[in-house]
Amino acid sequence: MSIAFIDLAAQQARIKPALDAAIAKVLAHGAYVMGPEVGEFECQLAGFSGIKYAVSCANGTDAIALPLMAWGVGAGDAVFCPSFTFAATAEVVPWTGAEPVFVDILPDTYNLDPQKLEAAIVAIKAEGRLTPKVVIAVDLFGQPADYPAISAICQRHGLKLIADSAQGFGCTLNGQHPGHWADVTTTSFFPAKPLGCYGDGGAVLTDDEALAERMDSLRVHGKAVKSDIAGRTFDHDPKYLNMRIGMNSRLDTLQAAILIEKLNVFADEIVRRNAVADRYAANLPASVTQIPSVIAGGISTWAQYTIEHANRDGLAAHLKASGVPSAVYYPVPMHIQSAYAHYPKGAGGLPVTEAKASRVISLPMHPYMTHAVQDRIIDAISGFNG
Ligand SMILES: *Cc1c(COP(=O)(O)O)cnc(C)c1O
């Protein structure tokens, strides 16, 4: 039997009757855009993460753009983010006219290095060309960034903090979700993410009511929202008022209906993912030079189980020949990509990021992995002596 990198079929088999019923219900009522399931899911998502407001949107990339747009980030502004991440984290920054500033990561967790972040902010301020505005921390591979340290730096320098939790949605640090520290948490429902739908989707979460309202407006072409309308009278339907330049970024009703069913089993799936991770950690051979280490007090959602190996490409080829799928996240850091190489970097460059890019390899990881399958994966790694 072939080994799945992420086994979405096993999850689907578990909740199939509920999914079928949820999809049939949407087909029956026909409200395919902004139907009742969208608001229902937003409430449940907010409840899950202990954040007051959830605004769903079309994907996890737009989710990061929405708060930047709502805050009016633009030309002349600096947005600090890691380079060792999926493109979307940095991509949305130039959309607004602002510039990403790439900061190095910690060697054990792959997440933003707070000391290097602070040094980069100080250097950008001293240079004077850009105004520091926002930090985007990423919960890479599922584990929370060092939010207590990062949020203290943001407060000291008057910067907003976004938690890009596309991979880490559901993760906690000392029992708190990233939104405990971040002004905004964003996530993606791309199918392979820990909480995924059957297509594209995303969400933005915040405790700031005015910000949530502005992002709700922006995702529907800058439509008039309650605070725009309050105390005014109109001689036409205010539905067609466009108060600000927005975009079209809605979560489909069908996807919301599917996500409601997936959210029901999500907490249990995080527990299962952690059991798989623990079993890898206990049984991987010593030839693996680094197994994942989670920040003290942190619980990861294990979007990826990423190890390091001195002969990464040799191991990848050996695994492929043994029928074990693997993947490399990320072979080319953002600050080296041709479209991004001209943007500012933290002082001293990004040596940790560059070293990691040639050593990391991610193993199959999902909540429904059997011991037998995991043993085959571990045996294949043990059998590699390159
Ligand atoms: C997947 C991902 C995104 C973007 O999500 P999409 O839904 O694919 O747009 C953003 N940031 C990180 C870290 C991701 O892994």
Side-chain angles (χ1 to χ4, degrees), residues 111-142:
N111 278 333
L112 214 46
D113 180 331
Q115 283 185 355
K116 289 183 178 170
L117 171 65
E118 179 134 47
I121 295 167
V122 169
I124 289 289
K125 278 187 170 171
E127 189 196 40
R129 188 177 66 84
L130 298 170
T131 308
K133 281 284 170 70
V134 178
V135 172
I136 306 176
V138 176
D139 300 327
L140 200 74
F141 303 146

Side-chain angles (χ1 to χ4, degrees), residues 105-285:
I105 50 167
L106 294 164
D108 51 350
T109 63
Y110 308 102
N111 278 333
L112 214 46
D113 180 331
Q115 283 185 355
K116 289 183 178 170
L117 171 65
E118 179 134 47
I121 295 167
V122 169
I124 289 289
K125 278 187 170 171
E127 189 196 40
R129 188 177 66 84
L130 298 170
T131 308
K133 281 284 170 70
V134 178
V135 172
I136 306 176
V138 176
D139 300 327
L140 200 74
F141 303 146
Q143 73 158 305
D146 186 351
Y147 287 106
I150 293 168
S151 67
I153 292 165
C154 288
Q155 276 164 23
R156 228 173 8 254
H157 292 277
L159 310 185
K160 299 285 191 193
L161 176 57
I162 295 175
D164 174 356
S165 213
Q167 298 181 22
F169 184 76
C171 73
T172 55
L173 181 57
N174 304 325
Q176 305 280 0
H177 291 273
H180 178 74
W181 295 275
D183 297 287
V184 167
T185 304
T186 68
T187 193
S188 161
F189 304 125
F190 182 80
K193 310 284 175 169
L195 180 61
C197 60
Y198 291 149
D200 279 307
V204 194
L205 297 108
T206 183
D207 283 328
D208 180 339
E209 185 179 7
L211 180 67
E213 221 197 8
R214 215 148 53 237
M215 295 191 296
D216 175 32
S217 165
L218 288 167
R219 74 172 160 171
V220 188
H221 308 290
K223 70 172 181 184
V225 286
K226 245 196 270 158
S227 62
D228 294 318
I229 296 169
R232 296 175 59 183
T233 52
F234 300 95
D235 45 15
H236 50 77
D237 188 344
K239 186 176 163 189
Y240 294 104
L241 279 181
N242 303 97
M243 307 301 294
R244 48 193 68 80
I245 303 293
M247 62 212 281
N248 177 8
S249 186
R250 296 173 296 228
L251 180 71
D252 292 340
T253 308
L254 271 170
Q255 301 299 351
I258 289 160
L259 282 162
I260 288 170
E261 301 309 326
K262 291 212 184 193
L263 189 59
N264 279 336
V265 295
F266 187 48
D268 173 65
E269 289 184 339
I270 294 173
V271 172
R272 288 166 176 255
R273 284 173 180 275
N274 274 280
V276 174
D278 289 348
R279 202 159 175 279
Y280 268 135
N283 294 290
L284 281 171

Side-chain angles (χ1 to χ4, degrees), residues 331-344:
V332 185
M334 294 307 296
H335 71 284
I336 293 170
Q337 303 269 1
S338 60
Y340 295 85
H342 63 288
Y343 288 121

